[in-house]
């Protein structure tokens, strides 16, 4: 039984298409409406046509011509749908070929990667969290609210912090830093890392035994951990070994979202700016770390102290 043209148009059929034929012959990007063609039929995208030095001469065959809209090609490029490359991670979206890059740049199912050496696991952030706890025995995610300070035990290893206000996942990692003590990192796990930081973090540490006070503020870096490991320069603060023997320390952490106004004004700190405050003679009982910045501040403080006559 024959089908009418209207009936055939509603039937989905799998077909093999060389997608290069749907690319502009000038910029080689996917054609998207409006599409123009010369009198012979050579097509070009509208932005490239606007850049031609001679708009009345074909860019391929050099024939004198008048470019006109090619509605047939426009209908074809609208109708060809391609699956998202993140289909294996749960995305079932199908978008027009010319719009696939935009979708994949924003796809919420794009994967993040496990930072454990030799693991190679990749998945959406929801599956990544389950993988951390079940596959590697990480502690359960610690939940927190933005701009609300919370206590966190400083122990070597990795754990996940979950923002209950937006569901974002943060990776908190502590690694040995030699004589300096312990180095810490806070990273935002997301598949599409932006150029501008979206969050800022403040970490405060106080040792009553020695009077040592220290606080650090830094922009939280976004990463998908695509290399399968933490970036080498991700460690943003140091917890010094101020007790002998070294004891498990507790720090106060606060994470807040960067306001749009501060982003516009460019007032976001891209690099670590540590402010170390010393308020008593007790700090001299603590070992001076190998951190050059801390050493300089300590020397400046000593020079300001005058002996009692």
């Amino acid at each position: 039984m024959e089908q009418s043209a209207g009936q055939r148009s509603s039937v989905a059929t799998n077909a093999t298409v060389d997608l290069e034929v749907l690319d502009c012959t000038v910029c080689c990007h996917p054609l998207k409406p409006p599409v123009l063609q010369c009198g012979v039929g050579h097509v070009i995208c509208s932005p490239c046509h606007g850049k031609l030095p001679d708009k009345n001469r074909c860019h391929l065959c050099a024939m004198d011509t008048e470019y006109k809209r090619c509605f047939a090609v426009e209908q074809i490029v609208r109708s060809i749908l391609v699956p998202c490359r993140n289909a294996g991670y749960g995305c079932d979206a199908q978008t027009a070929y010319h719009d696939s890059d935009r979708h994949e740049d924003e796809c919420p199912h794009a994967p993040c990667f496990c930072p454990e050496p030799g693991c190679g696991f990749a998945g959406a952030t929801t599956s990544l969290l389950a993988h951390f706890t079940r596959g590697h025995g990480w502690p359960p995610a610690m939940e927190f609210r933005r701009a609300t300070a919370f206590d966190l035990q400083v122990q070597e290893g990795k754990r996940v912090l979950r923002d209950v206000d937006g569901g974002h996942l943060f990776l908190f990692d502590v690694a040995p830093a030699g004589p300096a003590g312990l180095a810490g990192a806070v990273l935002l796990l997301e598949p599409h890392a932006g150029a501008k930081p979206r969050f800022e973090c403040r970490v405060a540490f106080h040792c009553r035994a020695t009077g040592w006070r220290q606080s650090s503020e830094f922009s939280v870096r976004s990463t998908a951990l695509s290399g399968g490991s933490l970036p080498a320069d991700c460690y943003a603060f140091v917890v010094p070994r101020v007790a002998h023997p070294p004891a498990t320390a507790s720090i106060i952490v606060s994470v807040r979202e960067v306001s749009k106004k501060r982003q516009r004004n460019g007032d976001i700190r891209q690099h670590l700016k540590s402010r170390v405050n010393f308020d008593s003679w007790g700090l001299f009982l603590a070992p001076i770390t190998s951190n050059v910045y801390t050493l300089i501040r300590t020397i400046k403080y000593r020079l300001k102290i005058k002996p009692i006559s």
Side-chain angles (χ1 to χ4, degrees), residues 17-25 29-36 43-46 69-82 94-100:
V17 178
D18 183 359
L19 294 179
E20 289 187 1
V21 302
L22 303 178
D23 293 343
C24 173
T25 53
H29 291 160
L31 289 167
K32 62 185 303 183
V35 178
L36 304 176
V43 294
I44 186 174
C45 68
S46 180
R69 288 279 297 273
C70 184
F71 295 100
V73 172
E74 290 182 10
Q75 186 174 1
I76 292 173
V77 298
R78 286 194 186 100
S79 64
I80 294 183
L81 304 179
V82 295
Q94 289 191 333
T95 57
Y97 171 61
H98 63 77
D99 204 32
S100 59

Coordinates of all heavy atoms in Angstrom, one line a residue, residues 17-25 29-36 43-46 69-82 94-100:
V17 N 24.5 9.6 6.2 CA 24.8 10.9 5.5 C 26.2 11.3 5.8 O 26.6 11.2 7.0 CB 23.8 12.0 6.0 CG1 24.1 13.3 5.3 CG2 22.3 11.5 5.7
D18 N 26.9 11.7 4.8 CA 28.2 12.3 5.0 C 28.0 13.7 5.5 O 27.6 14.6 4.7 CB 29.0 12.3 3.7 CG 30.4 12.8 3.9 OD1 30.8 13.2 5.0 OD2 31.2 12.8 2.9
L19 N 28.2 14.0 6.8 CA 27.9 15.3 7.3 C 28.7 16.4 6.8 O 28.4 17.6 6.9 CB 28.0 15.2 8.9 CG 27.1 14.3 9.6 CD1 27.3 14.3 11.1 CD2 25.6 14.7 9.3
E20 N 29.8 16.1 6.1 CA 30.7 17.1 5.5 C 29.9 17.9 4.4 O 30.2 19.0 4.1 CB 32.0 16.6 5.0 CG 32.9 16.1 6.1 CD 34.3 15.7 5.5 OE1 34.4 15.8 4.3 OE2 35.2 15.3 6.3
V21 N 29.0 17.2 3.8 CA 28.2 17.9 2.7 C 27.3 18.9 3.3 O 26.7 19.8 2.5 CB 27.4 16.9 1.9 CG1 28.3 15.8 1.3 CG2 26.3 16.2 2.7
L22 N 27.1 18.9 4.6 CA 26.2 19.9 5.3 C 27.0 21.0 5.9 O 26.5 21.9 6.6 CB 25.4 19.2 6.3 CG 24.5 18.1 5.9 CD1 23.7 17.5 7.1 CD2 23.5 18.6 4.8
D23 N 28.3 21.1 5.5 CA 29.2 22.1 6.0 C 29.4 23.2 5.0 O 29.3 23.0 3.8 CB 30.6 21.6 6.4 CG 30.5 20.6 7.6 OD1 29.5 20.7 8.3 OD2 31.5 19.9 7.8
C24 N 29.6 24.4 5.5 CA 29.8 25.6 4.6 C 31.2 25.4 3.9 O 32.2 24.9 4.5 CB 29.9 26.9 5.4 SG 30.4 28.3 4.5
T25 N 31.2 25.7 2.6 CA 32.5 25.4 1.8 C 33.5 26.5 2.1 O 34.6 26.4 1.6 CB 32.1 25.4 0.3 OG1 31.4 26.6 0.0 CG2 31.3 24.2 0.0
H29 N 32.1 25.1 8.9 CA 31.2 24.9 10.0 C 29.8 24.4 9.5 O 29.5 24.7 8.3 CB 31.0 26.2 10.8 CG 32.3 26.5 11.5 ND1 32.5 27.8 12.0 CD2 33.4 25.8 11.9 CE1 33.6 27.9 12.6 NE2 34.2 26.7 12.5
P30 N 29.0 23.7 10.3 CA 27.7 23.3 9.8 C 26.9 24.4 9.3 O 26.8 25.5 9.9 CB 27.1 22.6 11.1 CG 28.3 22.2 11.9 CD 29.3 23.3 11.7
L31 N 26.2 24.1 8.1 CA 25.3 25.1 7.6 C 24.1 25.3 8.5 O 23.5 24.3 9.0 CB 24.9 24.7 6.2 CG 25.9 24.8 5.1 CD1 25.4 24.0 3.8 CD2 26.2 26.2 4.7
K32 N 23.7 26.5 8.7 CA 22.4 26.8 9.4 C 21.7 27.9 8.7 O 22.3 28.8 8.1 CB 22.7 27.1 10.9 CG 23.5 28.4 11.1 CD 23.9 28.6 12.5 CE 22.7 28.7 13.4 NZ 23.0 28.9 14.8
P33 N 20.4 27.9 8.7 CA 19.6 28.9 8.0 C 19.9 30.3 8.6 O 20.2 30.4 9.8 CB 18.1 28.5 8.4 CG 18.2 27.1 8.7 CD 19.5 26.8 9.3
P34 N 20.0 31.3 7.7 CA 19.7 31.2 6.2 C 20.9 30.7 5.4 O 22.1 31.1 5.8 CB 19.4 32.7 5.9 CG 20.1 33.5 6.8 CD 20.1 32.7 8.1
V35 N 20.7 29.9 4.4 CA 21.7 29.3 3.5 C 21.5 30.0 2.2 O 20.4 30.1 1.7 CB 21.6 27.8 3.4 CG1 22.6 27.3 2.5 CG2 21.7 27.2 4.8
L36 N 22.6 30.4 1.6 CA 22.6 31.1 0.3 C 23.3 30.2 -0.8 O 24.2 29.4 -0.4 CB 23.3 32.4 0.3 CG 22.7 33.4 1.4 CD1 23.5 34.7 1.4 CD2 21.2 33.7 1.1
V43 N 26.7 26.4 -2.3 CA 26.0 27.0 -1.1 C 27.1 27.6 -0.2 O 28.3 27.2 -0.2 CB 25.2 25.9 -0.3 CG1 24.0 25.4 -1.1 CG2 26.1 24.8 0.1
I44 N 26.6 28.5 0.6 CA 27.5 29.3 1.6 C 26.6 29.7 2.7 O 25.4 30.0 2.5 CB 28.2 30.4 0.8 CG1 29.2 31.1 1.8 CG2 27.2 31.5 0.4 CD1 30.0 32.2 1.1
C45 N 27.2 29.8 3.9 CA 26.4 30.3 5.0 C 26.3 31.8 5.0 O 27.2 32.5 4.4 CB 27.0 29.8 6.4 SG 28.6 30.5 6.8
S46 N 25.3 32.3 5.6 CA 25.1 33.8 5.6 C 26.3 34.6 6.1 O 26.6 35.6 5.5 CB 23.8 34.1 6.3 OG 23.5 35.5 6.3
R69 N 18.5 32.7 -1.4 CA 18.2 31.7 -0.4 C 17.9 30.4 -1.0 O 17.3 30.2 -2.0 CB 16.9 32.1 0.4 CG 17.1 33.3 1.3 CD 17.8 33.0 2.6 NE 17.0 32.1 3.4 CZ 16.0 32.5 4.3 NH1 15.7 33.8 4.4 NH2 15.4 31.6 5.0
C70 N 18.5 29.3 -0.3 CA 18.3 27.9 -0.8 C 17.4 27.3 0.3 O 17.9 26.7 1.2 CB 19.6 27.2 -0.9 SG 19.5 25.6 -1.6
F71 N 16.1 27.3 0.1 CA 15.2 26.8 1.1 C 15.2 25.3 1.2 O 14.9 24.7 2.2 CB 13.8 27.3 0.7 CG 13.6 28.8 0.8 CD1 13.6 29.6 -0.3 CD2 13.5 29.4 2.1 CE1 13.5 31.0 -0.2 CE2 13.3 30.8 2.2 CZ 13.3 31.6 1.1
A72 N 15.6 24.6 0.1 CA 15.6 23.2 0.1 C 16.7 22.7 1.0 O 16.5 21.8 1.8 CB 15.9 22.6 -1.3
V73 N 17.9 23.3 0.9 CA 19.0 22.9 1.8 C 18.7 23.3 3.3 O 19.0 22.6 4.2 CB 20.3 23.6 1.4 CG1 21.4 23.4 2.4 CG2 20.8 23.0 0.0
E74 N 18.0 24.4 3.5 CA 17.6 24.8 4.8 C 16.7 23.8 5.4 O 16.8 23.5 6.6 CB 17.0 26.2 4.8 CG 17.9 27.4 4.5 CD 17.2 28.7 4.5 OE1 16.0 28.7 4.9 OE2 17.8 29.7 4.1
Q75 N 15.8 23.3 4.7 CA 14.9 22.3 5.2 C 15.6 21.0 5.5 O 15.3 20.3 6.5 CB 13.8 22.0 4.1 CG 12.7 21.0 4.7 CD 11.5 20.9 3.7 OE1 11.6 21.5 2.6 NE2 10.5 20.1 4.0
I76 N 16.6 20.7 4.7 CA 17.4 19.4 5.0 C 18.2 19.6 6.3 O 18.2 18.7 7.1 CB 18.3 19.1 3.8 CG1 17.5 18.7 2.6 CG2 19.3 18.0 4.1 CD1 18.3 18.6 1.3
V77 N 18.9 20.7 6.4 CA 19.7 20.8 7.6 C 18.9 20.9 8.9 O 19.4 20.6 10.0 CB 20.7 22.1 7.5 CG1 21.6 21.9 6.4 CG2 19.9 23.4 7.4
R78 N 17.7 21.4 8.8 CA 16.8 21.4 9.9 C 16.3 20.0 10.3 O 16.0 19.7 11.5 CB 15.5 22.3 9.7 CG 15.8 23.8 9.7 CD 14.5 24.6 9.8 NE 14.7 26.0 9.6 CZ 14.5 26.7 8.5 NH1 14.1 26.1 7.4 NH2 14.7 28.0 8.5
S79 N 16.1 19.2 9.3 CA 15.5 17.9 9.5 C 16.5 16.8 10.0 O 16.1 15.8 10.5 CB 14.8 17.4 8.3 OG 15.8 17.2 7.2
I80 N 17.8 17.0 9.7 CA 18.8 16.0 10.1 C 19.1 16.1 11.6 O 19.8 17.1 12.0 CB 20.0 16.1 9.2 CG1 19.7 15.7 7.8 CG2 21.1 15.1 9.7 CD1 20.8 15.7 6.8
L81 N 18.8 15.2 12.4 CA 19.0 15.2 13.8 C 20.1 14.2 14.2 O 20.2 13.1 13.6 CB 17.7 14.8 14.6 CG 16.5 15.7 14.3 CD1 15.3 15.2 15.1 CD2 16.8 17.1 14.6
V82 N 21.0 14.6 15.1 CA 22.1 13.7 15.5 C 22.0 13.5 17.0 O 21.6 14.4 17.8 CB 23.4 14.3 15.1 CG1 23.6 14.4 13.6 CG2 23.6 15.7 15.7
Q94 N 18.2 14.6 20.9 CA 18.6 14.7 19.5 C 18.4 16.1 19.0 O 17.3 16.6 19.1 CB 17.8 13.7 18.7 CG 18.1 12.2 19.0 CD 17.5 11.3 18.0 OE1 16.5 11.6 17.4 NE2 18.2 10.1 17.8
T95 N 19.5 16.7 18.4 CA 19.4 18.0 18.0 C 19.8 18.1 16.5 O 20.4 17.2 16.0 CB 20.4 18.9 18.8 OG1 21.7 18.4 18.7 CG2 20.0 18.9 20.3
A96 N 19.4 19.2 15.9 CA 19.8 19.5 14.5 C 21.3 19.5 14.5 O 22.0 20.0 15.4 CB 19.2 20.8 14.0
Y97 N 21.9 19.0 13.4 CA 23.3 18.9 13.2 C 24.0 20.2 13.4 O 25.0 20.3 14.1 CB 23.6 18.4 11.8 CG 25.1 18.4 11.4 CD1 26.0 17.7 12.2 CD2 25.5 19.1 10.4 CE1 27.4 17.7 11.9 CE2 26.9 19.2 10.0 CZ 27.8 18.5 10.8 OH 29.1 18.5 10.5
H98 N 23.4 21.3 12.9 CA 24.1 22.6 13.1 C 24.0 23.1 14.5 O 24.7 24.1 14.8 CB 23.5 23.6 12.1 CG 22.0 23.9 12.3 ND1 21.6 24.7 13.4 CD2 20.9 23.5 11.7 CE1 20.3 24.8 13.3 NE2 19.8 24.0 12.3
D99 N 23.2 22.5 15.3 CA 23.0 23.0 16.7 C 23.6 22.0 17.7 O 23.5 22.3 18.9 CB 21.5 23.2 17.0 CG 21.3 24.2 18.1 OD1 22.1 25.2 18.2 OD2 20.3 24.0 18.9
S100 N 24.3 21.0 17.3 CA 24.7 19.9 18.2 C 25.9 20.4 19.1 O 26.0 20.0 20.2 CB 25.2 18.7 17.4 OG 26.2 19.0 16.5

